[in-house]
Amino acid sequence: MRRALALCALAAALVSAPAVAAPSPADLEAELVCPVCGTTLDQSDAPVAQRMKQIIRQRLAAGATEAQIKAELVDQFGPGVLAEPPKSGFDLLAWLVPLAILVVGAVGVGLAAWGWSRRRGDGEPRPRAELDPELERRVDAELRRFDS
Amino acid sequence: MTRRLQRVGQAIALAGVGTLLGLLVWKVAFDDQNGAADRLARGELVHAPAFALDRLDRSGTLSMASLRGKPLVVNFWASWCGPCKDEAPFLQQTYERYRRQGLVVLGVDVKDFREDARRFMRRYGITYPVVYDGKGSTIGRWGLQGYPETFFVDRSGKLVGERIAGGVDIERNRETFERGIALALGDTS
C-alpha cells in the first residue's frame, strides 16, 4: 500500500513538474536591443525594431530556439544587439569587474572591521593616568564632605 | 597594521580616482566624436573614411581603397527606412546616367537584415554595388545621423560638396545633389 502511494506521489510530481518553457516573444524582446535606438525591443517602435519583432515571431513559430534566434541576430547586427553582454571573451569583463570590485570591497571592509575589533577588544585594561597627589587628596576630601 | 591598511585603502581610492580622471582626459582630448560629415560641414579637407564590407549584390567584399580613382556617390540606406524607398529609383537613374563618365553609386546598407536588403534591391531594380554594414561600423567614422544620407567623393578620395541628410529629393536638394556629382566628377565650372 505504502509503495503504491509512493509511486502515485512520484507520478504526480513528475506530471506537475514544470517542463522547460518555450521562450515567448516578450522574453526575447526584453533581452534584445534595437540597433538604431538602443532600447530593448519591447520598448521600441522604431521600424527596424518592429521588423526584428516580426522576425522573432516567425523564427519561434518555425521552432527556432532562443539561442538560435539570438545567434542569428548577432550575426546580422553584432553583439551590441544583446541587452546583456555575452559571458565570454572580452565581454566577460563586464561581468567580472563589478564582481571583483564587490569582492575587493568586502575584503577591505572585513579587514578594517577586524582591525578595529582588535584595537578595541585586545583585553588589556588601559593604565589609568596618574593623578597629582594634591589633586587626589582634594578629590577625596570633597567626596568625604559630599557623603557626610 | 590598521594604519597600513588605511594607507593601502587610500592608495587604492586614489588610484581609482586617477584612472577615472585619466579616462576623462583621454575621452576629451583624443576621442574624435566628429565624423567625416561634421568635418566636411566645417569646411575641412576630409578623405572618405575607409571600409571593406561584404557585398550584397554579389559575393565578395568591396573596399573604398579598391574604388580609389573613381568618383563616387556613397548612399547609406536601410530597407526599413521610408525615404530610402523614395530615393532608390532616382539613385539608380543617376548610376545609369553617369556610369559612362566613371561615376559609381555605392550603396551601404546599414543596420538591416541581409535578405530584406536584397529584396529591396530587387524591388527597386538596383544594379549599382551595395555593401552590407549590419553592425553599423561606418556610422561613427562617417558621422551618420540618420537614414538615408548621401556623400560625394572625388577621384582623389576626398569628400566634396555637401552631405545630403535625408532622401535625395527633386525639390529640396536636387541642386545640392547635382553639384555634388559635378564636384565628384571634377567639373568645377
Side-chain angles (χ1 to χ4, degrees):
Chain A
M1 179 65 184
R2 276 187 184 172
R3 187 173 292 174
L5 279 173
L7 282 172
C8 284
L10 183 65
L14 284 173
V15 167
S16 63
V20 178
S24 72
D27 292 339
L28 274 167
E29 286 168 15
E31 293 169 16
L32 291 160
V33 173
C34 163
V36 173
C37 48
T39 59
T40 50
L41 294 181
D42 56 356
Q43 302 290 317
S44 175
D45 280 326
V48 67
Q50 288 176 10
R51 180 68 182 131
M52 287 170 78
K53 290 177 195 176
Q54 195 183 5
I55 296 265
I56 287 169
R57 280 171 170 75
Q58 286 172 359
R59 297 293 293 129
L60 284 173
T65 65
E66 184 178 334
Q68 282 171 335
I69 294 169
K70 283 184 178 177
E72 287 164 11
L73 290 171
V74 167
D75 177 51
Q76 300 269 351
F77 299 104
V81 82
L82 299 173
E84 287 184 350
K87 297 184 180 78
S88 62
F90 183 76
D91 293 313
L92 189 61
L93 280 178
W95 295 93
L96 291 182
V97 168
L99 200 67
I101 290 172
L102 203 69
V103 169
V104 167
V107 168
V109 168
L111 283 173
W114 177 68
W116 292 327
S117 67
R118 269 197 60 180
R119 195 172 56 185
R120 289 181 62 192
D122 52 7
E124 295 289 324
R126 287 166 186 243
R128 286 174 60 189
E130 289 293 322
L131 271 182
D132 178 27
E134 175 59 21
L135 185 61
E136 198 166 3
R137 191 189 60 74
R138 280 176 61 191
V139 168
D140 286 344
E142 285 290 323
L143 283 171
R144 270 197 304 275
R145 193 163 62 84
F146 187 72
D147 287 340
S148 64
Chain B
M1 170 69 184
T2 309
R3 188 164 288 175
R4 192 201 286 175
L5 207 65
Q6 275 181 341
R7 284 193 180 152
V8 170
Q10 284 170 346
I12 290 172
L14 273 174
V17 171
T19 307
L20 290 174
L21 201 65
L23 282 172
L24 181 68
V25 169
W26 177 81
K27 179 85 177 161
V28 170
F30 301 110
D31 191 26
D32 186 9
Q33 284 286 329
N34 300 322
D38 293 320
R39 284 182 281 138
L40 178 70
R42 287 200 298 266
E44 294 177 25
L45 184 71
V46 190
H47 282 274
F51 58 72
L53 294 164
D54 289 342
R55 293 183 75 145
L56 279 176
D57 54 322
R58 64 174 75 164
S59 60
T61 59
L62 185 66
S63 67
M64 284 296 287
S66 70
L67 294 167
R68 194 72 182 263
K70 292 183 178 175
L72 304 174
V73 174
V74 186
N75 174 251
F76 294 87
W77 64 279
S79 67
W80 42 261
C81 140
C84 301
K85 296 169 188 165
D86 299 334
E87 69 171 8
F90 179 69
L91 288 171
Q92 178 61 30
Q93 286 167 23
T94 302
Y95 177 57
E96 289 166 6
R97 182 176 163 196
Y98 290 102
R99 64 186 298 186
R100 284 187 186 167
Q101 295 176 56
L103 184 91
V104 176
V105 176
L106 172 63
V108 184
D109 177 46
V110 188
K111 303 259 181 186
D112 201 357
F113 287 93
R114 288 185 191 88
E115 275 317 303
D116 288 356
R118 289 197 179 102
R119 201 174 301 124
F120 181 102
M121 289 162 66
R122 282 195 298 274
R123 182 176 175 189
Y124 293 99
I126 291 172
T127 57
Y128 54 79
V130 176
V131 291
Y132 178 70
D133 183 20
K135 297 177 176 66
S137 63
T138 52
I139 294 173
R141 279 175 296 146
W142 283 78
L144 304 184
Q145 291 174 350
Y147 307 95
E149 286 200 11
T150 304
F151 294 82
F152 305 93
V153 183
D154 70 9
R155 293 177 198 275
S156 68
K158 289 195 300 287
L159 294 181
V160 290
E162 289 175 43
R163 174 260 306 260
I164 296 178
V168 176
D169 185 281
I170 290 171
E171 288 176 8
R172 198 165 55 90
N173 50 35
R174 181 65 174 267
E175 204 174 303
T176 308
F177 186 80
E178 295 293 350
R179 200 168 71 85
I181 287 179
L183 288 168
L185 289 167
D187 178 8
T188 52
S189 58

